[in-house]
Amino acid sequence: MFGVLFEQTADGQRYIDWLLSGLGWTLALAFFGWWIAFGIGVVVGVGRTVQNRFLAIPARLYVEIFRNIPVLVQMFLWYFVFPEVVPSALGDAIKQIPPPWASFFPALLCLGLYTASRIAEQVRAGIEALPRGQIEAANALGLSGYLTYRYVIVPQALRLIVPSLTSEVMGIYKNTSVALTIGLMELTAQARQISEATFQTFTAFGAATIIYLCLALIAYQGMMLIDKAVRIPGSAPVKLSADADLAAEVQQAGALPNALEAAK
Amino acid sequence: MNTLDFSIVAQSWPYLWSGLVFSLSLTAAAFAIGMVLGTCLALVQHFEVPVLAQVVRGYVAVIRSIPLILVLFWFFFLVPIVLGYLSGNGRPVPIGATFTAFITFGLFEAAYYSEIIRVGLRAVNKGQFEACQALALSTYDTYRHIVLPQVLRVASPIILSQTIILFQDTSLVYVLSLTDLLGAASKLAQLNGRLVEMYLVVALAYLAISSAASQCVAILRKRYALATSR
Amino acid sequence: MPQETVSGTAQAAPIVVVENVTKRFGAFTALNDVNLRVGKGEKIVLCGPSGSGKSTLIRCINHIEKHDGGRIVVDGVELSHRLADINSVRCEVGMVFQSFNLFPHLTVAENCMLAPMKVRGISQAEARARALGLLRKVRIQDQADKYPAQLSGGQQQRVAIARALCMQPKIMLFDEPTSALDPEMVKEVLDTMVELAKDGMTMVCVTHEMGFAREVADRVIFMDRGCILEEADPETFFRAPRSERAKGFLNQIIH
């Protein structure tokens, strides 16, 4: 059934090359977007928990704005609107960027900043779940606010939220498909293109679906490994609040073993 | 940088409004279908119905692992074929993008809601089941009157958060060229060339609706936390 | 020890001065016009029923709770709300908590090394040598590279004592250090504290361990409802408590 993927395309490649090139863009977008998101997410998440208003209010605004506008709309804002509202010299420079990158960079920025707002909320939940005594002990030892966050709070909070970050990893690679609306030929776009070129819709979408399932499996397994690697010896995982715990479990559940069964 | 002119937005207000109404109806319909179907899917898994439970697990896992846009493409392609097959004459039934969108979002969200409810079902205290048995309640009554109400109560903040995400996700019907809020703005923008104003207004509209809804969820969460701490 | 000598030392070189301190939590008054002087090398045991303000008092001494009124001076530095003052005071004041509050993601040695390295700025090698030395002192050196969750409660509390000592504090505060422990582990922690007392450390301990109070305390202070009701050497306090409340309290903890 997947034979058509190995047929020649009009441009002398095989259809599977289209798919693989799409996968490449998807992975690049997800990978680099993730690190942007993680970096900003941790900073903003910490900002949500500090007393200082000059940090807490911008952090809160960041989360509110980026979490409450659909990814697709944000994609359009970065792609269509951003070059128009910055000084025209910069805007013109942006418009000079050649094709795949002209879509890639706005998509990267969009997914990175959007996912950061979601990670920030996870980080905040992780920090708020820590026992109060940890901060008191750090204070009693004379650690400053920065040192307390750097060495005591953030390392523990990040360990706590590894399971719920799994869903953010899966979220960002799924959201890469939104980049097709601004012309990036990522995996879903390539599948659609193959379907239109060959009329083998079932094969084209089927192949893309299987690739996405594999990515889900890899993401899940990878996060399990990380969870195991950073688990503190001798300790049971600390529970988040019942409500957040349920949410984390919901996000985490269903990827696997269900994904395994589906792949059978 | 051109000067912004928002009067264009005021002129096109009725069209944008109809787009918003479409977005909201799609959200409401997907919520209704998704919750009913999602509860069924969760119960099928919860009771380990032979074969069916495996099928449902596979369905939920696949839906949750692939992008919604791909799901939309799948359904756009599959639904007419399946309907043709069901109607007996074997020929695909063209049903249009709007109908496809309603079916897709309903079935897609069912997978997400079912996962929330399934985990919620597991979280119900064993003592509740024992109490029901002691009162000789039937399984149906136990779930209908005792278990499900508790699950829905515990899970309501998460269900509502998911619904806010659903509302935002409805903007993806853009890929089916439908006229939801974003679709309306995009079509107007192509006509009048006022991309910047149109997309900014749409972004603000989504922001206002979603964050108002998020505030409600936050209040609900707080109230729930109070109720359980007593 | 005669009363005059005790207050004499306190006045000669008070390392902690608490004057007219009040602290409220909403409508609840946790500390009501409390005065206390702690001399260098003095060992003080604070006791009283729960809610009497004894924990709040020592938590105010290193500013984990902010006092609302009055003055607290530690080692010549007044605890204002200036961060620099607070941190410099905290470096000189070690604190041991009821619930240990070890950092679970760091090994025992790392728990002891963190603050000396980051706050005092000593080298890693020196911090580790100091940590191992103090862990030996609390007889737990062979557990240095384990994580807190792999230790028993008594061991964890001894690590917490070593961690505080690694900052080379001038005074140690103990907030019910044995209350969260299983009975068989209380002794190992108390033994460590007795040794510390014999080394001449200035100590303020909130505890109900009356054996410990008899053995090491220069003064026992009885608090109730946010006030200091009684202050005496342990023999006097245990043999002839003056207030009715202290009598009632002693009856309760003895039986």
Side-chain angles (χ1 to χ4, degrees):
Chain A
M1 131 185 191
F2 289 113
V4 67
L5 292 178
F6 296 93
E7 287 171 12
Q8 290 280 309
T9 63
D11 58 1
Q13 289 181 303
R14 292 169 305 169
Y15 287 113
I16 189 144
D17 297 326
W18 288 9
L19 269 188
L20 290 178
S21 134
L23 174 62
W25 286 110
T26 292
L27 287 178
L29 207 49
F31 181 81
F32 293 109
W34 173 258
W35 289 112
I36 295 175
F38 188 70
I40 297 176
V42 170
V43 172
V44 174
V46 165
R48 292 279 274 124
T49 65
V50 297
Q51 301 281 330
N52 186 335
R53 280 162 173 270
F54 294 102
L55 296 174
I57 291 175
R60 166 122 203 236
L61 276 179
Y62 180 95
V63 171
E64 281 295 315
I65 290 172
F66 283 92
R67 211 178 45 160
N68 285 321
I69 298 177
V71 189
L72 178 52
V73 175
Q74 293 191 34
M75 203 64 95
F76 283 3
L77 290 180
W78 289 113
Y79 186 72
F80 294 115
V81 176
F82 183 67
E84 303 295 335
V85 295
V86 294
S88 52
L90 179 58
D92 291 341
I94 292 171
K95 289 177 201 161
Q96 294 301 313
I97 300 173
W101 304 108
S103 305
F104 181 77
F105 287 123
L108 182 67
L109 212 54
C110 167
L111 290 180
L113 297 179
Y114 169 76
T115 309
S117 71
R118 301 187 50 88
I119 293 178
E121 284 303 89
Q122 307 277 12
V123 170
R124 180 174 72 106
I127 290 174
E128 287 175 354
L130 292 180
R132 175 109 201 100
Q134 290 292 308
I135 297 172
E136 288 180 358
N139 286 344
L141 286 168
L143 293 172
S144 65
Y146 168 76
L147 289 173
T148 303
Y149 269 98
R150 167 74 182 76
Y151 292 102
V152 177
I153 297 177
V154 173
Q156 290 188 61
L158 289 183
R159 281 182 170 85
L160 273 186
I161 62 168
V162 172
S164 38
L165 285 183
T166 309
S167 73
E168 301 311 328
V169 173
M170 295 181 59
I172 197 169
Y173 87 73
K174 282 191 282 179
N175 279 330
T176 54
S177 66
V178 179
L180 73 83
T181 58
I182 59 170
L184 188 74
M185 292 306 287
E186 46 63 68
L187 189 52
T188 301
Q190 291 289 7
R192 184 171 61 168
Q193 184 169 276
I194 293 171
S195 142
E196 280 164 1
T198 64
F199 300 105
Q200 301 282 330
T201 309
F202 202 84
T203 302
F205 290 170
T209 301
I210 289 172
I211 295 175
Y212 279 119
L213 283 176
C214 292
L215 291 184
L217 212 63
I218 292 168
Y220 187 87
Q221 292 288 9
M223 294 305 275
M224 293 270 280
L225 283 180
I226 293 174
D227 193 34
K228 209 181 248 175
V230 302
R231 171 81 35 94
I232 300 160
S235 66
V238 182
K239 287 278 174 191
L240 300 172
S241 72
D243 187 37
D245 210 41
L246 185 61
E249 207 181 334
V250 168
Q251 288 163 342
Q252 195 191 0
L256 199 125
N258 305 348
L260 261 183
E261 279 167 5
K264 270 179 202 161
Chain B
M1 179 178 160
N2 302 319
T3 47
L4 297 181
D5 175 14
F6 283 97
S7 63
I8 200 83
V9 176
Q11 289 164 30
S12 44
W13 180 246
Y15 193 57
L16 286 176
W17 176 252
S18 69
L20 178 59
V21 169
F22 179 82
S23 295
L24 291 171
S25 358
L26 183 53
T27 307
F31 174 76
I33 301 173
M35 278 302 291
V36 173
L37 191 60
T39 308
C40 297
L41 295 183
L43 287 173
V44 165
Q45 293 180 70
H46 186 71
F47 286 113
E48 293 293 340
V49 180
V51 186
L52 211 51
Q54 305 302 319
V55 174
V56 167
R57 286 208 177 98
Y59 172 78
V60 172
V62 172
I63 291 287
R64 286 170 53 100
S65 300
I66 66 178
L68 178 51
I69 292 185
L70 186 57
V71 179
L72 280 166
F73 287 165
W74 263 123
F75 277 65
F76 200 61
F77 160 68
L78 279 181
V79 170
I81 296 178
V82 171
L83 284 181
Y85 181 75
L86 290 178
S87 69
N89 65 9
R91 210 171 282 167
V93 183
I95 51 161
T98 308
F99 192 55
T100 307
F102 276 84
I103 293 182
T104 310
F105 273 91
L107 296 183
F108 180 85
E109 288 303 319
Y112 279 82
Y113 288 132
S114 83
E115 210 52 13
I116 298 172
I117 293 166
R118 190 178 66 83
V119 176
L121 280 170
R122 273 202 329 222
V124 173
N125 192 330
K126 277 214 172 58
Q128 295 291 312
F129 291 98
E130 288 167 3
C132 290
Q133 278 173 349
L135 291 169
L137 285 177
S138 69
T139 307
Y140 173 82
D141 283 331
T142 302
Y143 277 83
R144 166 73 183 74
H145 296 290
I146 310 297
V147 177
L148 281 178
Q150 289 188 36
V151 170
L152 292 180
R153 201 176 135 82
V154 174
S156 58
I158 310 172
I159 290 172
L160 290 178
S161 301
Q162 177 62 34
T163 309
I164 296 171
I165 296 174
L166 159 65
F167 170 63
Q168 296 184 18
D169 279 346
T170 58
S171 63
L172 292 174
V173 296
Y174 171 87
V175 299
L176 301 179
S177 304
L178 288 175
T179 312
D180 70 320
L181 177 55
L182 177 64
S186 154
K187 283 168 191 170
L188 286 171
Q190 277 157 23
L191 281 178
N192 59 28
R194 288 291 177 180
L195 270 143
V196 175
E197 291 87 340
M198 281 300 169
Y199 289 143
L200 281 178
V201 165
V202 165
L204 280 177
Y206 275 111
L207 177 61
I209 296 172
S210 299
S211 53
S214 303
Q215 297 306 319
C216 294
V217 175
I219 293 168
L220 197 77
R221 218 177 265 264
K222 216 170 264 172
R223 205 173 278 178
Y224 174 72
L226 273 181
T228 47
S229 69
R230 267 173 209 151
Chain C
M1 203 178 291
Q3 185 75 32
E4 293 90 327
T5 328
V6 172
S7 47
T9 35
Q11 266 147 24
I15 189 161
V16 175
V17 177
V18 173
E19 273 178 12
N20 311 107
V21 162
T22 53
K23 167 73 187 170
R24 284 180 209 90
F25 296 105
F28 177 71
T29 303
L31 293 179
N32 187 7
D33 198 22
V34 169
N35 290 282
L36 174 71
R37 276 165 184 268
V38 184
K40 236 172 220 155
E42 227 189 337
K43 287 99 186 111
I44 291 178
V45 164
L46 282 173
C47 62
S50 64
S52 59
K54 54 201 191 303
S55 284
T56 307
L57 176 57
I58 67 167
R59 286 160 69 87
C60 280
I61 293 176
N62 69 352
H63 210 260
I64 282 179
E65 306 287 357
K66 288 178 194 161
H67 54 287
D68 298 317
R71 239 159 66 87
I72 297 178
V73 181
V74 178
D75 194 28
V77 179
E78 174 161 2
L79 275 178
S80 59
H81 299 306
R82 273 186 49 219
L83 211 61
D85 289 346
I86 295 168
N87 276 338
S88 72
V89 164
R90 282 172 174 167
C91 289
E92 307 306 330
V93 178
M95 175 122 186
V96 175
F97 298 86
Q98 179 177 355
S99 50
F100 328 142
N101 293 348
L102 293 176
F103 304 132
H105 62 301
L106 302 178
T107 64
V108 164
E110 285 165 349
N111 261 280
C112 297
M113 292 156 64
L114 179 65
M117 282 166 64
K118 299 299 167 193
V119 180
R120 296 273 199 217
I122 70 174
S123 73
Q124 186 173 0
E126 196 184 336
R128 186 162 173 96
R130 186 188 289 179
L132 291 181
L134 285 161
L135 287 170
R136 189 170 309 121
K137 192 174 161 62
V138 300
R139 294 194 201 83
I140 207 164
Q141 69 273 27
D142 46 336
Q143 315 281 357
D145 294 314
K146 286 196 178 166
Y147 285 86
Q150 295 170 308
L151 306 185
S152 72
Q155 291 174 320
Q156 290 190 49
Q157 193 61 300
R158 283 184 282 148
V159 172
I161 294 173
R163 176 175 73 177
L165 290 175
C166 278
M167 287 296 279
Q168 301 182 327
K170 294 183 176 155
I171 170 170
M172 287 282 285
L173 308 175
F174 292 83
D175 187 3
E176 305 207 29
T178 56
S179 310
L181 294 175
D182 293 333
E184 71 270 20
M185 292 169 185
V186 170
K187 189 174 177 302
E188 64 188 60
V189 171
L190 288 180
D191 286 348
T192 308
M193 289 167 66
V194 169
E195 248 175 76
L196 194 58
K198 289 187 175 145
D199 290 347
M201 174 63 75
T202 309
M203 293 163 72
V204 179
C205 311
V206 173
T207 182
H208 293 166
E209 295 294 336
M210 292 306 140
F212 171 79
R214 271 177 206 276
E215 188 171 350
V216 305
D218 299 314
R219 271 189 291 162
V220 175
I221 291 176
F222 177 75
M223 289 185 70
D224 191 34
R225 299 179 202 175
C227 301
I228 292 181
L229 284 194
E230 227 173 301
E231 205 176 328
D233 65 277
E235 270 323 303
T236 317
F237 178 73
F238 290 121
R239 206 184 49 238
R242 292 192 304 270
S243 66
E244 282 307 310
R245 284 193 209 146
K247 279 177 199 160
F249 172 73
L250 282 175
N251 271 329
Q252 269 175 359
I253 60 166
I254 287 163
H255 298 299

